[in-house]
Amino acid sequence: MAVEKLGFRLGVRFGATTATGARGLASARDARHVPLEASLRGAAAETGAERSGGGKEPRSRAGGAAAEGASPHQRRRAAVILSRDRQRRELSKEISSVQSVEAALAIAASTRPADFDHVHATACLHRVARLWAKDSPSEASLEALGSLFGRLAGFLRQPRLLDATAVAINAWSVAALGSVSEPWLRQVLPGLVAEALAQVREMPARGLANLAWSLATLQEKGEVSGESGTSALLRALAAEAPLRLHEFAPQGIANCYWAFCQLGGKDGDDFTPLRLALADEAMGRVSELHAQDLASIAWSAATSSTASPSLAKALAHEACVKLRHFSPRQLANLAWALATAAPEGTAATVGRLAVEAARRPPSQLVQRDLAGLCWALATTTACAGPMLSADPSSLHGAVGALASGARRRLSEYSTGALVGLSWSLAILRADSASSVALAAVDAVAGGAGGCDGLGAPVVARLMWTLATLKVAGGSLHHSLAAEAILRLDAFGPLDLANASWAVATLPSVRGAGSLTAAMAARAALTAPEFSPANLVQVAWAAATVSCYDENLSAALTRMPTSQACLHSCRVQDLALSAWAQATWGQGPDALPDSLLLEASLRSSEFASQDLSNLAWAMATLLVRHEPLLATLAREATRKIQQLQPQHLCNLVWSLATLGWQLGQDRDLAGREACDIVGSLSVQVSRRIGDIEHPGLSATSWALASLVGLRHSPKRVKGPGGTGCT
């Protein structure tokens, strides 16, 4: 509507019916330092005052005297101007009312150049851009469009003929036409860039947002990357926009944020300050944002890696309020963006978005949306815990609906999309999702002509998916393992971590031991390239299948020597690293003081499994670290209701072993260890029916040690980490 209003407004302003109005219009066109629209506003105001029959009496008498004293030539000239003005206004109305591309271009082609000015060209191109995607233009339309671009290029060669608003509108039209405008882009782009740069400070906030969106759209397609003046214009926009943020409409904030997220890091410019300012403005006015704006801002931040958890949570909260206003595509995009930006803090919102999407007609969800929603659910579930238990009926139903929709479209997915879909559905662990995940895995193997045609990352991810679904044996399982051996040199750190975990979880595959040994050797050779999580995963897998690699153990020992590395470790990685070293039967030096100190500082983050693994490793290696022992005892007491039977037995045996090791000179840590052994033993007695014989044996020894029966415990190491006598 903006350009239609602009065309009508400027058409009215051409209505100078007196010699004074005509002279005002001519002087406005000649003035190079005053924007055309401002000059026209002054000329129209002056002319309107002279034509008005109301107002102050002296002004009316003056206007009447001027008209009465006009010569016949002046009257004829005024009549001609009035007639042309009516024609311009009628033409503007006609352009704004057409409903097809052909009709708009036909007006441009059939109107004499003298009657078709820059306002009409701007309005006509904008109308064509809005209708092009909905219409089916013919070849003749392309020729007429080229002629319209030629006219616009001619107007742009006259400096300041187009005002700032018209420049922004034309830039939007050119960008919105996309590849259609490419043949004539070089005719108009230099002029648009030059005029925009000259008038950027005069541009309204909406024009700034539209211009930024247009440049980002064109630069994304490589159309303006080499254009002279583009970098200067982007810097000018980045400097002007923060000063006018309060003038931006919600859609303008979303468009400008998307644009500068897309433009970030290009041409050597850093738009981080502007992105931060726009994000703050969006959070401050989040209730004003429409559903489309919320989805656009979230997606922009996630795709450019500039999302902050605070922005994601603010958008997630508002999305729940406006849930019914999102289209299926917006629901999928928003869920994906929130899961990417803040998977731990937006799990509930992602679940609600998925439930809402599942309620829509199946035909409205294309394969991309289905895959994005499944991935978002799986990611938040993996980070925030089993989300499906929060609302079993609605979420399980949503997952089932999404999985069913994906099954019907499996043939439309690419290999990469099938792999991602199978991973997502395996993570969700819903009965209805598991069968679709297996169907996706079969489709990948069958579509690639068998496992021979699969790349290393795909092989690793499919092995992981089968292990997660607990699908052991079978020709596909063995074929993937055989391919993994052949492609081992092409495996990256994440591939090795996924594949080794899969083999350790389902070791029934043929050659599991040799495959694990080969992967452990490969990981040790490329250890500097690994993240702590991936290196620990490979070490855990090797220890689980009783595969020892000296170089991998050494790499694991060196890992905690870097403070930065320790801070990037998850507490689960610290515990598993200690468990692997203890399972391999290493000495106390395998647990460096830096690792133990880091664990004691972050003990509140430990889950029950982590407490059990770390305590068992310390007891197995007879490592004394009183601060960590005390924190383990306190955390075990605090989380005692969450401990599984195996965790209880491991902790009872481990703490009793470490308490016995302190001997007669038991300090505070030792006394706390003994106290917690008693508390844990009570829990064991309450759940004795769920505990296997090794666990009962370990608990019996611990109680005997607690009451003073002195003898050295025997250490027994098993894949589960259970210590017993």
Side-chain angles (χ1 to χ4, degrees):
M1 291 298 293
V3 73
E4 288 83 351
K5 291 179 180 178
L6 171 67
F8 181 74
R9 185 170 70 248
L10 294 187
V12 171
R13 288 173 185 163
F14 275 106
T17 59
T18 66
T20 302
R23 286 195 299 271
L25 179 59
S27 63
R29 287 183 174 176
D30 292 337
R32 294 294 181 257
H33 63 283
V34 180
L36 175 60
E37 187 176 358
S39 300
L40 292 177
R41 186 181 298 112
E46 181 182 352
T47 303
E50 294 175 353
R51 293 177 56 197
S52 173
K56 296 183 179 179
E57 188 177 354
R59 186 180 296 273
S60 296
R61 286 200 301 268
E68 290 174 3
S71 66
H73 173 71
Q74 289 174 329
R75 289 174 180 158
R76 286 194 300 272
R77 184 179 178 185
V80 170
I81 291 174
L82 180 60
S83 175
R84 288 180 178 175
D85 180 55
R86 288 199 189 100
Q87 291 176 3
R88 289 190 179 98
R89 289 202 306 270
E90 291 301 322
L91 186 58
S92 296
K93 290 180 181 179
E94 188 178 358
I95 291 172
S96 63
S97 63
V98 297
Q99 298 300 318
S100 69
V101 170
E102 283 82 359
L105 293 174
I107 292 173
S110 61
T111 306
R112 294 184 308 166
D115 298 328
F116 193 85
D117 59 25
H118 60 284
V119 176
H120 301 131
T122 299
C124 191
L125 185 62
H126 185 267
R127 196 65 182 159
V128 168
R130 289 175 65 88
L131 295 172
W132 194 276
K134 303 175 184 178
D135 212 340
S136 300
S138 61
E139 290 294 330
S141 298
L142 288 174
E143 296 180 10
L145 182 60
S147 176
L148 179 59
F149 267 92
R151 288 192 181 189
L152 180 60
F155 293 132
L156 286 169
R157 284 193 286 270
Q158 304 176 48
R160 294 280 186 157
L161 180 61
L162 276 73
D163 71 351
T165 300
V167 169
I169 289 173
N170 279 299
W172 182 92
S173 302
V174 170
L177 283 169
S179 59
V180 177
S181 64
E182 186 176 352
W184 313 285
L185 196 59
R186 296 301 170 187
Q187 295 181 34
V188 299
L189 197 55
L192 285 173
V193 170
E195 286 297 312
L197 185 57
Q199 303 184 60
V200 68
R201 293 186 178 180
E202 304 160 16
M203 198 167 288
R206 181 173 183 175
L208 292 173
N210 284 343
L211 185 58
W213 179 90
S214 305
L215 289 174
T217 301
L218 291 171
Q219 187 154 302
E220 187 180 27
K221 300 172 183 175
E223 300 293 350
V224 299
S225 56
E227 184 60 45
S228 175
T230 302
S231 297
L233 177 56
L234 291 174
R235 289 193 297 270
L237 284 171
E240 186 69 18
L243 306 177
R244 315 267 291 282
L245 283 181
H246 63 283
E247 302 175 19
F248 278 72
Q251 186 179 3
I253 295 173
N255 285 347
C256 202
Y257 188 73
W258 176 86
F260 281 98
C261 282
Q262 296 298 109
L263 292 166
K266 296 179 181 178
D267 292 330
D269 292 311
D270 183 11
F271 302 120
T272 300
L274 175 57
R275 286 196 298 269
L276 293 176
L278 287 165
D280 289 341
E281 187 72 13
M283 284 190 287
R285 298 168 58 185
V286 69
S287 61
E288 302 175 28
L289 298 174
H290 301 296
Q292 181 177 353
D293 304 328
L294 291 168
S296 175
I297 291 173
W299 187 88
S300 303
T303 52
S304 62
S305 302
T306 60
S308 65
S310 56
L311 175 61
K313 290 177 182 177
L315 296 174
H317 179 270
E318 191 63 23
C320 293
V321 177
K322 299 169 179 172
L323 201 60
R324 300 297 176 86
H325 299 286
F326 290 97
S327 69
R329 170 58 53 84
Q330 290 165 356
L331 288 169
N333 285 347
L334 184 57
W336 178 88
L338 294 178
T340 301
E344 295 182 0
T346 60
T349 301
V350 169
R352 293 187 64 180
L353 292 170
V355 170
E356 180 63 27
R359 290 173 179 163
R360 305 296 176 88
S363 59
Q364 294 183 6
L365 287 168
V366 300
Q367 65 270 26
R368 172 189 165 187
D369 301 333
L370 290 166
L373 285 163
C374 291
W375 182 89
L377 280 172
T379 301
T380 51
T381 298
C383 294
M387 184 181 60
L388 294 181
S389 61
D391 188 356
S393 58
S394 59
L395 276 172
H396 273 287
V399 171
L402 295 174
S404 177
R407 181 192 288 275
R408 290 193 296 269
R409 293 181 170 90
L410 284 181
S411 60
E412 302 173 20
Y413 284 92
S414 65
T415 298
L418 284 170
V419 173
L421 181 66
S422 65
W423 174 87
S424 303
L425 294 176
I427 282 284
L428 292 172
R429 300 177 188 275
D431 294 339
S432 55
S434 298
S435 61
V436 181
L438 287 174
V441 172
D442 290 338
V444 172
C451 295
D452 294 345
L454 300 178
V458 174
V459 169
R461 182 62 68 90
L462 292 182
M463 291 177 67
W464 183 95
T465 300
L466 291 176
T468 302
L469 295 172
K470 302 189 183 308
V471 178
S475 59
L476 178 58
H477 199 178
H478 298 309
S479 298
L480 289 171
E483 282 298 312
I485 284 285
L486 297 176
R487 301 177 183 275
L488 202 57
D489 290 343
F491 274 33
L494 181 59
D495 303 329
L496 285 171
N498 284 337
S500 61
W501 180 87
V503 174
T505 302
L506 294 176
S508 59
V509 64
R510 287 194 296 267
S514 59
L515 176 57
T516 304
M519 289 190 290
R522 174 70 181 170
L525 185 64
T526 58
E529 303 173 13
F530 277 70
S531 67
N534 290 337
L535 188 65
V536 169
Q537 189 79 288
V538 177
W540 172 87
T544 298
V545 298
S546 303
C547 174
Y548 172 66
D549 188 281
E550 181 180 1
N551 295 326
L552 182 57
S553 176
L556 209 61
T557 303
R558 289 192 299 269
M559 185 184 71
T561 58
S562 167
Q563 200 64 25
C565 180
L566 277 178
H567 289 325
S568 66
C569 281
R570 303 173 300 174
V571 291
Q572 178 185 2
D573 300 331
L574 299 175
L576 285 179
S577 174
W579 181 89
Q581 296 283 31
T583 302
W584 279 330
Q586 301 301 294
D589 292 341
L591 300 185
D593 289 340
S594 56
L595 183 147
L596 299 173
L597 178 61
E598 183 73 13
S600 64
L601 294 175
R602 299 168 62 184
S603 59
S604 61
E605 303 174 33
F606 279 88
S608 57
Q609 178 73 60
D610 305 326
L611 289 170
S612 171
N613 284 339
L614 187 55
W616 181 86
M618 292 176 65
T620 300
L621 299 178
L622 299 178
V623 172
R624 287 187 57 178
H625 192 277
E626 283 78 6
L628 180 54
L629 179 60
T631 57
L632 287 176
R634 295 189 190 103
E635 285 301 313
T637 303
R638 190 168 67 87
K639 299 171 180 174
I640 196 167
Q641 299 299 327
Q642 305 171 21
L643 298 175
Q644 299 297 320
Q646 181 181 346
H647 303 158
L648 286 168
C649 295
N650 284 356
L651 283 165
V652 168
W653 178 84
S654 303
L655 293 175
T657 298
L658 293 171
W660 169 85
Q661 181 69 8
L662 293 171
Q664 298 296 331
D665 300 325
R666 292 182 177 180
D667 56 10
L668 177 62
R671 290 196 298 275
E672 288 192 23
C674 290
D675 291 340
I676 193 62
V677 167
S679 300
L680 292 171
S681 298
V682 172
Q683 288 293 321
V684 170
S685 65
R686 292 174 180 173
R687 303 166 67 178
I688 198 167
D690 299 328
I691 300 174
E692 298 180 357
H693 289 171
L696 292 175
S697 176
T699 306
S700 301
W701 175 86
L703 292 173
S705 175
L706 185 63
V707 299
L709 300 178
R710 300 294 174 203
H711 65 282
S712 299
K714 298 178 181 178
R715 294 177 295 158
V716 178
K717 302 181 291 295
T722 301
C724 58
T725 58

